[in-house]
Amino acid sequence: DAGVIQSPRHEVTEMGQEVTLRCKPISGHDYLFWYRQTMMRGLELLIYFNNNVPIDDSGMPEDRFSAKMPNASFSTLKIQPSEPRDSAVYFCASSPLGAGALSEQFFGPGTRLTVL
Amino acid sequence: AQSVAQPEDQVNVAEGNPLTVKCTYSVSGNPYLFWYVQYPNRGLQFLLKYITGDNLVKGSYGFEAEFNKSQTSFHLKKPSALVSDSALYFCAVRSSGNTPLVFGKGTRLSVIA
């Protein structure tokens, strides 16, 4: 398996523009997580899905952020409009259902977002 | 609520010396504890986990961690550090079920030749 796939790996945009980050989880994994990593705040959970359904989005910072999972193999995180303070590395992770609490989360390589 | 504390932002160790990266946790119920490593410009990679059983857990790349329930700690250790171990290390916990891992802020390990 190729692991969790994220695209793009790097994104540079200007303030006010829409940004869409993409994630393909590992096949067969039922859980998908979006995290944001910054120097100041460390690794923050933004939202997670179970079987394509959002379970907890309390970590989404503002209404400018939205996430979807239209099917088991694809998820997007959208920021509209983007602001410089959104600059961070965004990680997607997935994990299988069966192992429950025993299972580790598998992380993608991340998308480094820079908003000018 | 679950939480993890990594009290050291940075740990420096000479190559060949033993290393310890500290982690303490707070959770209601039984803890499930994890260590991840992040190399520059990479995602987090799983190192090891404690679920139950032996308090000493062995993982990838020669790392091990010791679960101490009375001290609510799960310190990461390695007998002999390598320069290639230099990276950012994250401790994480969950209490039960299919809930997301809660991560600490990370500890940057620097192994000096």
Side-chain angles (χ1 to χ4, degrees):
Chain A
D1 198 315
V4 177
I5 299 172
Q6 291 187 247
S7 65
R9 292 294 309 276
H10 302 274
E11 176 80 33
V12 180
T13 190
E14 293 188 347
M15 183 174 63
Q17 296 298 306
E18 178 179 295
V19 174
T20 300
L21 311 181
R22 297 173 176 80
C23 175
K24 176 178 168 56
I26 293 172
S27 177
H29 282 192
D30 303 272
Y31 282 83
L32 184 138
F33 310 86
W34 281 101
Y35 288 86
R36 177 172 69 176
Q37 184 180 34
T38 60
M39 290 289 291
M40 291 297 294
R41 301 172 70 93
L43 199 62
E44 304 172 275
L45 176 68
L46 300 177
I47 185 172
Y48 76 100
F49 296 83
N50 177 20
N51 288 327
N52 315 336
V53 176
I55 303 301
D56 185 352
D57 65 355
S58 60
M60 297 284 263
E62 301 172 31
D63 292 345
R64 299 184 295 106
F65 286 69
S66 62
K68 294 182 179 179
M69 192 165 185
N71 57 61
S73 59
F74 184 65
S75 177
T76 59
L77 178 67
K78 186 176 293 186
I79 308 172
Q80 165 64 16
S82 59
E83 297 183 3
R85 60 192 168 122
D86 302 331
S87 298
V89 180
Y90 291 81
F91 288 104
C92 177
S94 69
S95 68
L97 171 65
L102 309 182
S103 176
E104 63 265 32
Q105 294 172 191
F106 297 80
F107 281 77
T111 296
R112 183 175 296 276
L113 173 64
T114 302
V115 183
L116 303 175
Chain B
Q2 308 158 93
S3 66
V4 169
Q6 294 182 244
E8 302 156 316
D9 291 336
Q10 173 92 31
V11 170
N12 298 318
V13 64
E15 187 176 30
N17 282 1
L19 69 87
T20 299
V21 182
K22 296 179 180 178
C23 171
T24 58
Y25 66 90
S26 174
V27 69
S28 55
N30 294 323
Y32 301 95
L33 295 155
F34 300 75
W35 275 102
Y36 282 78
V37 60
Q38 184 181 26
Y39 298 102
N41 301 313
R42 305 285 294 275
L44 278 69
Q45 297 177 33
F46 169 75
L47 274 180
L48 53 80
K49 64 184 175 184
Y50 171 82
I51 303 301
T52 187
D54 194 346
N55 289 343
L56 186 63
V57 179
K58 294 188 183 297
S60 307
Y61 313 121
F63 283 93
E64 57 189 28
E66 186 168 11
F67 171 64
N68 187 315
K69 187 173 183 178
S70 62
Q71 297 185 3
T72 61
S73 67
F74 189 56
H75 300 332
L76 182 70
K77 300 181 180 183
K78 187 173 182 180
S80 179
L82 300 172
V83 172
S84 57
D85 293 330
S86 299
L88 188 57
Y89 289 81
F90 290 93
C91 183
V93 68
R94 65 157 65 99
S95 60
S96 64
N98 293 306
T99 55
L101 292 172
V102 173
F103 286 85
K105 286 190 170 290
T107 298
R108 187 164 300 281
L109 173 67
S110 180
V111 181
I112 304 161

